[in-house]
Amino acid sequence: MMVVEFYLKGDNHLISFRMKTFDLLGLSTPVLRAIGELGFESPTPIQEQAIPVMLGGNQDVVALAQTGTGKTAAFGLPLIELLDFTKRDTQALILAPTRELCVQITKDMQNYAKYTPGAHVVSIYGGARIEGQIREVRKGPQIIAATPGRLVDMIERGVVDLSTIEFVVLDEADEMLTMGFKEDLDLILSQTPAEKSTWLFSATMPREVQRIANDY
């Protein structure tokens, strides 16, 4: 635990308070080592609140968080802890609205799992050759980060099997709905097991996001 001390302006009284560090959130040594090398010190508010809850592993979560608040680590670190990387089944699906966010999430997840043996994370997104992505999916990643449109294409081709999914993350859910992915999201989520955990992150909670939360 980090102890921070400071003086109030115009006052000689020393004020101290305790700031949580990542080692107090229940994360394992390999994950702490990986994020330590990334310069992570103290969790952001969304990380501090979400990570201990998500480490429970068997509950749905709705979190309101703006871009830039560290939400990828808020859901990514618990996923690294909860998945079985000795298996080649796809256990976690992360849906994001754009190619750029999908690629960034994948890079972040790979960094978080740097010292976790067997971890394999794959990106699926439009605007790139699908053949290479199909080859990667067939290698058996435990985590797929995808844009909805390209994932639907993969499902219709019989490439992606969502029957083994244990965790679904909807990142920037409001943006996905704004961009017209409502039908794709419904189709994708209907292909996943009913007993999965769903983690929904959104900057706002409009009616359609609330409907997704209520339905899934």
Side-chain angles (χ1 to χ4, degrees):
M1 181 175 289
M2 181 185 300
V3 178
V4 180
E5 298 182 340
F6 62 94
Y7 286 95
L8 292 178
K9 185 177 181 181
D11 197 336
N12 291 326
H13 295 292
L14 179 66
I15 306 296
S16 67
F17 64 92
R18 296 187 180 273
M19 182 183 299
K20 276 194 175 181
T21 51
F22 281 96
D23 60 332
L24 298 177
L25 299 183
L27 299 171
S28 65
T29 298
V31 171
L32 290 172
R33 181 183 176 191
I35 64 175
E37 291 184 1
L38 295 171
F40 286 39
E41 294 180 357
S42 299
T44 65
I46 187 63
Q47 293 164 358
E48 183 176 341
Q49 294 174 53
I51 289 173
V53 174
M54 291 176 170
L55 286 175
N58 60 350
Q59 51 194 319
D60 297 334
V61 174
V62 175
L64 297 182
Q66 298 289 335
T67 299
T69 56
K71 55 187 172 58
T72 302
F75 62 73
L77 300 180
L79 283 181
I80 300 300
E81 300 287 4
L82 293 168
L83 302 186
D84 184 351
F85 293 108
T86 65
K87 297 180 179 178
R88 306 312 301 175
D89 298 329
T90 300
Q91 302 160 50
L93 174 64
I94 305 170
L95 294 172
T98 66
R99 168 182 179 170
E100 292 75 17
L101 182 56
C102 182
V103 170
Q104 185 59 54
I105 289 171
T106 301
K107 290 179 179 178
D108 289 341
M109 295 298 295
Q110 290 168 342
N111 287 331
Y112 303 155
K114 181 177 179 180
Y115 297 109
T116 303
H120 187 195
V121 187
V122 165
S123 294
I124 295 176
Y125 52 84
R129 291 179 62 84
I130 196 170
E131 292 81 7
Q133 295 177 0
I134 290 174
R135 284 194 297 271
E136 287 299 311
V137 169
R138 286 177 172 163
K139 293 179 181 178
Q142 298 92 358
I143 303 171
I144 291 178
T147 53
R150 176 53 63 92
L151 182 58
V152 168
D153 192 353
M154 291 279 206
I155 292 171
E156 292 175 345
R157 290 170 182 252
V159 176
V160 172
D161 177 11
L162 300 183
S163 66
T164 57
I165 292 294
E166 299 175 20
F167 299 93
V168 173
V169 180
L170 303 178
D171 192 13
E172 298 195 2
D174 51 352
E175 286 297 317
M176 284 193 281
L177 292 171
T178 298
M179 295 172 66
F181 288 127
K182 175 180 177 295
E183 292 184 1
D184 289 342
L185 289 177
D186 284 336
L187 186 151
I188 292 165
L189 293 172
S190 71
Q191 300 289 312
T192 59
E195 63 272 16
K196 67 183 179 298
S197 294
T198 303
W199 300 344
L200 187 151
F201 284 76
S202 186
T204 61
M205 188 59 70
R207 183 169 54 188
E208 279 303 313
V209 173
Q210 186 65 56
R211 183 192 67 79
I212 291 286
N214 291 340
D215 290 349
Y216 297 104

